[in-house]
Amino acid sequence: MHGITALISLLGAGTASALPAAVTLENIRHEQQGPDNCGPVTALTILGYHGTRVTQAQAVSALKDSPRDPQVTSLELAAYFGQYGLRSMIRSAGTPELIRSLVARGLPVVVQQRLHARSNVAHFRTVYGYRNGRFLTSDPLRGPALWLTEAEFRHLWHYYNGEYLIAYPASRQAEVYAVLGGDVRAATNWQRLKALATRNASAQPNDPYHWWGLGKANLRLGNVKAATENFDRAVALGVPTLYFLYRQEAFEAWTQAGHHDKTLKYASRALKIDPNSKELRKFISLARRSQEGR
């Protein structure tokens, strides 16, 4: 496999399907990010691993409306990778076991997480190794070899409901599909997130991120009324205002349900934090036009 150093002592003695106990992928390019540039740096890391070199400035020009654009989404990353011949899959409800399975097959994985445990800033980092219950990540802000324990990894990932992105050449598609199984189908993955978020919200009803994940799953499955109720619950429990800068699913649900006053209230609050957000401006504009057309 491409660019892998693996310690071949196996987990689970005697099992043919066991993964290497430790893996570190090679050819992982790192660069310190400029302001709000974790997306562009992640792009150059993934593209570099697959044999294409771009600069941070080139990635910024392609991915951001302006240098001050505060957010690059997973969908924007996937579209950019596609320009260089890579296929991408974005899924939720990921697990540490899944990440290890992909990395062990020579596939670095982009995850959306908190910057750190005391921060509400959303952040991309690329997982390219694991060992002794820890994950090795290339972090555009915190360095080229940031190790996270599995507990830390789960905690930071919870903020984004276990979202991950895999980019791969067409020749590797069968391997990716084999690892993901039923989650290759988006609808199956949304059902998985819905079931997981339902269980977690029942066990921890005061955690707003479980309710947000449930809302996103219901929204993608076409259950707009349920999604709206889920997002309302998440917001009532205390989703930080900064969260709306990175996640706009509540605005999607409220727009479809005609709850434009909620969109205006929370999007306007978030826009005060960063007035350069094209996503927030879009939803505010939609809400205002809808109200004017009543």
Side-chain angles (χ1 to χ4, degrees):
M1 287 184 287
H2 164 61
I4 303 176
T5 299
L7 179 63
I8 304 298
S9 58
L10 296 180
L11 298 170
T15 57
S17 61
L19 301 176
V23 171
T24 300
L25 303 185
E26 299 171 353
N27 304 317
I28 298 295
R29 182 181 167 204
H30 177 270
E31 191 169 303
Q32 195 72 9
Q33 71 171 73
D36 296 318
N37 275 5
C38 70
V41 170
T42 296
L44 69 83
T45 297
I46 294 296
L47 287 173
Y49 179 78
H50 290 290
T52 298
R53 184 177 181 86
V54 298
T55 67
Q56 185 170 168
Q58 287 172 324
V60 167
S61 178
L63 287 165
K64 300 175 72 169
D65 286 4
S66 75
R68 293 184 296 175
D69 184 350
Q71 183 192 23
V72 172
T73 68
S74 297
L75 288 172
E76 289 171 325
L77 274 180
Y80 186 52
F81 294 148
Q83 295 177 26
Y84 294 93
L86 294 179
R87 299 180 179 182
S88 294
M89 198 164 292
I90 303 165
R91 294 293 183 263
S92 297
T95 65
E97 294 76 20
L98 175 68
I99 299 298
R100 281 190 284 265
S101 293
L102 290 164
V103 171
R105 287 165 175 80
L107 293 163
V109 184
V110 177
V111 292
Q112 286 241 43
Q113 298 181 325
R114 273 181 161 151
L115 177 59
H116 55 74
R118 296 175 302 281
S119 172
N120 288 323
V121 172
H123 194 58
F124 288 118
R125 47 178 60 97
T126 301
V127 185
Y128 68 98
Y130 63 83
R131 179 191 303 146
N132 297 330
R134 299 189 301 159
F135 289 98
L136 176 60
T137 71
S138 178
D139 188 302
L141 199 57
R142 298 176 65 186
L146 175 67
W147 284 96
L148 297 170
T149 67
E150 186 167 315
E152 290 171 325
F153 191 85
R154 286 180 181 274
H155 179 70
L156 297 173
W157 211 11
H158 165 54
Y159 184 69
Y160 258 92
N161 305 119
E163 183 178 305
Y164 60 96
L165 182 156
I166 319 155
Y168 54 92
S171 61
R172 307 290 305 277
Q173 181 164 290
E175 295 173 71
V176 173
Y177 280 24
V179 175
L180 265 61
D183 281 346
V184 166
R185 293 184 65 252
T188 299
N189 184 248
W190 293 127
Q191 290 286 3
R192 181 188 299 279
L193 176 60
K194 180 178 179 178
L196 177 65
T198 298
R199 290 196 302 271
N200 289 340
S202 177
Q204 298 174 310
N206 293 323
D207 186 320
Y209 306 111
H210 295 322
W211 292 102
W212 194 284
L214 184 56
K216 183 171 183 177
N218 273 319
L219 178 65
R220 298 296 180 243
L221 290 167
N223 306 322
V224 176
K225 183 177 184 296
T228 299
E229 293 170 354
N230 300 149
F231 290 127
D232 287 350
R233 180 72 175 271
V235 172
L237 286 169
V239 170
T241 300
L242 188 62
Y243 202 63
F244 294 104
L245 187 66
Y246 306 112
R247 304 198 69 172
Q248 288 87 41
E249 296 93 359
F251 302 143
E252 292 182 50
W254 292 336
T255 297
Q256 291 182 41
H259 298 177
H260 305 299
D261 53 336
K262 295 177 186 175
T263 294
L264 287 172
K265 177 180 178 180
Y266 292 104
S268 297
R269 284 183 184 177
L271 198 64
K272 291 179 181 178
I273 296 175
D274 196 321
N276 297 300
S277 171
K278 60 185 182 296
E279 291 83 10
L280 293 176
R281 292 199 304 268
K282 179 189 77 172
F283 281 107
I284 289 172
S285 177
L286 280 172
R288 286 175 175 164
R289 290 203 307 270
S290 296
Q291 286 186 331
E292 290 167 0
R294 285 176 180 172

